[in-house]
Amino acid sequence: MDHLDRITLEPSKRGGKPCIRGLRITVDDVLEYLASGMTEAEILADFPDLEPEDIRATLAFATTGR
């Protein structure tokens, strides 16, 4: 499975920023949570719509620049 399939771009959602699976949670949001010291478990607990694969997709997206 290509984790990057979980990243969506919709001009009408969050100003066209890359989002997770069409949710209103952006790649930048997840990266900021990780950078602030939140663990994956904490992020998933705070945002029950997210799945572990979404966090991996976020990191893959950030490292590939896609």
Side-chain angles (χ1 to χ4, degrees), residues 6 20-21 23 25 29-30 33-34 38-58:
R6 292 178 166 266
I20 308 298
R21 290 183 295 113
L23 302 170
I25 302 169
D29 292 337
V30 175
Y33 301 141
L34 292 167
M38 286 181 77
T39 65
E40 179 177 322
E42 291 170 328
I43 295 169
L44 296 173
D46 284 354
F47 301 93
D49 289 334
L50 289 180
E51 301 171 354
E53 293 82 9
D54 297 327
I55 295 177
R56 286 188 277 287
T58 296

